[in-house]
Amino acid sequence: MKGKYRFTRLAAHPNRLGLAVPPHLEGDNIICDLTPVVQQFSQLIMSSNSYIWSRAGHLQSYNQKEKAQQNPMRAIKGDESPLSYLQAAVCYRELQQYSYYKDMQWDSQRILDDQYIDKMTRLGLWPFKKMIRSLDPIFFYDPLHHPVVIFYTYQSTDGESIIKHLHRFDYEGYELKTHSRMIASNDESSFIWNRIGFN
């Protein structure tokens, strides 16, 4: 892991408040401009003459020069700092809430870090065993120099669980591939705790 940075969960939250984002509406004829979703993040901007739209549950970016529908993340630019990649990973998840692939459990408030877990443990509210490894959000470059962001979220559907979210960005720009998987459940009978760092 090259260039590793560790963040708090607060760094992953949208940090430009007061911007009105569209409601999560569903329907065949609903079209909404998702530019305000991107504008919630201080290190991200929309590319010149580009727009991101949700059209009846399909996310598209539109460039006035190219006149083409593209991956929505292609319309986003940033300063290429570790924080910008963390924000882009969260922004991607926020944009997905306007698509058919929305995650009903997604909320940036569900992102975990060690300080938050310690606080919940002291209050007797942490439903999992003691951790051995950190669950702070992290950024690093993989061996092919692709930016990577990993963060963990707490889920409460069908019991309580921790989900690992991996985001691997293209070598240039903010297009990405994602992978999510459950790494812990409070149902001990269905999980081998030592494999993911709990004891």
Side-chain angles (χ1 to χ4, degrees):
M1 274 188 241
K2 181 181 175 185
K4 183 176 179 180
Y5 290 83
R6 191 176 300 277
F7 294 97
T8 66
R9 63 192 294 267
L10 295 178
H13 295 174
N15 63 346
R16 293 182 66 205
L17 303 177
L19 298 170
V21 298
H24 297 156
L25 300 176
E26 298 180 5
D28 292 338
N29 300 316
I30 293 176
I31 300 174
C32 62
D33 177 10
L34 299 181
T35 302
V37 176
V38 179
Q39 292 173 335
Q40 295 179 103
F41 299 93
S42 62
Q43 309 307 112
L44 304 177
I45 60 171
M46 296 293 296
S47 298
S48 179
N49 298 315
S50 294
Y51 305 91
I52 300 175
W53 295 87
S54 173
R55 298 175 183 265
H58 297 282
L59 295 181
Q60 302 164 346
S61 68
Y62 179 79
N63 184 297
Q64 286 185 339
K65 293 181 180 179
E66 297 176 7
K67 304 288 185 184
Q69 297 174 359
Q70 306 169 7
N71 182 319
M73 297 302 288
R74 187 175 293 183
I76 294 174
K77 293 172 59 177
D79 62 7
E80 298 183 1
S81 65
L83 178 58
S84 76
Y85 287 106
L86 176 63
Q87 290 185 346
V90 176
C91 182
Y92 171 82
R93 303 270 171 191
E94 295 284 336
L95 290 170
Q96 293 303 308
Q97 296 303 98
Y98 297 89
S99 77
Y100 286 123
Y101 309 104
K102 69 170 64 177
D103 177 358
M104 300 305 291
Q105 286 281 302
W106 167 255
D107 186 330
S108 62
Q109 298 290 329
R110 292 178 178 269
I111 295 175
L112 300 170
D113 67 10
D114 296 345
Q115 184 179 6
Y116 177 79
I117 292 169
D118 288 345
K119 179 181 177 182
M120 292 297 103
T121 300
R122 287 194 304 272
L123 294 172
L125 300 175
W126 182 243
F128 303 98
K129 293 188 174 184
K130 181 181 177 183
M131 295 180 308
I132 295 173
R133 71 175 188 189
S134 173
L135 294 186
D136 286 342
I138 59 169
F139 166 87
F140 59 92
Y141 290 99
D142 72 8
L144 297 177
H145 206 68
H146 287 260
V148 176
V149 168
I150 297 174
F151 57 72
Y152 301 85
T153 58
Y154 167 80
Q155 305 283 321
S156 57
T157 302
D158 299 325
E160 295 166 304
S161 59
I162 297 174
I163 309 296
K164 178 180 180 179
H165 304 277
L166 185 144
H167 312 79
R168 184 178 188 259
F169 291 86
D170 287 355
Y171 184 74
E172 293 182 352
Y174 286 85
E175 291 185 71
L176 73 162
K177 292 182 172 62
T178 65
H179 177 71
S180 298
R181 68 183 177 97
M182 183 176 71
I183 64 163
S185 168
N186 62 2
D187 180 5
E188 294 184 40
S189 64
S190 66
F191 189 76
I192 302 173
W193 288 95
N194 291 335
R195 293 192 63 189
I196 64 96
F198 290 81
N199 66 4

